[in-house]
Amino acid sequence: HDLRNPLTAVMLQLKILGRSFGTMSEADFQAKVEKMNRACVRMNRLIQDLLDVSILEGGGDQFKLLYDKFSANSLLKEASLM
């Protein structure tokens, strides 16, 4: 469902552009292209998230937490300087 929504938006905008080609103002054309771009970016992000989840689920021991000691005072001091 989440992957189809951005794809449907791109298809709809392409259909509108196809029907209105030559009669649409440049500003309207740019607005349609921007909508398609946003939908493609969203779809790309969703696909990347899906791939990340599948890697994490199938990776088993590929990902390990590494523990390291640190000084909380040094960390807070460094953060306050940012």
Side-chain angles (χ1 to χ4, degrees):
H1 176 69
D2 286 336
L3 291 174
R4 282 194 307 240
N5 286 343
L7 184 58
T8 301
V10 170
M11 292 168 51
L12 178 62
Q13 297 301 321
L14 283 171
K15 190 177 283 189
I16 291 170
L17 285 176
R19 289 183 185 162
S20 305
F21 189 74
T23 62
M24 184 180 290
S25 72
E26 187 173 338
D28 287 341
F29 179 82
Q30 291 296 330
K32 300 290 183 206
V33 169
E34 183 57 34
K35 285 181 183 179
M36 288 187 290
N37 185 54
R38 284 193 309 269
C40 288
V41 167
R42 181 169 178 246
M43 188 175 356
N44 186 41
R45 191 171 51 247
L46 290 168
I47 290 169
Q48 189 59 52
D49 289 348
L50 182 63
L51 292 173
D52 289 346
V53 167
S54 72
I55 288 170
L56 289 173
E57 286 180 344
D61 62 353
Q62 283 183 343
F63 298 97
K64 295 180 182 178
L65 291 178
L66 299 176
Y67 298 97
D68 198 5
K69 291 183 179 186
F70 65 93
S71 166
N73 288 334
S74 295
L75 178 65
L76 292 173
K77 185 176 181 178
E78 186 178 329
S80 70
L81 297 174
M82 294 181 153

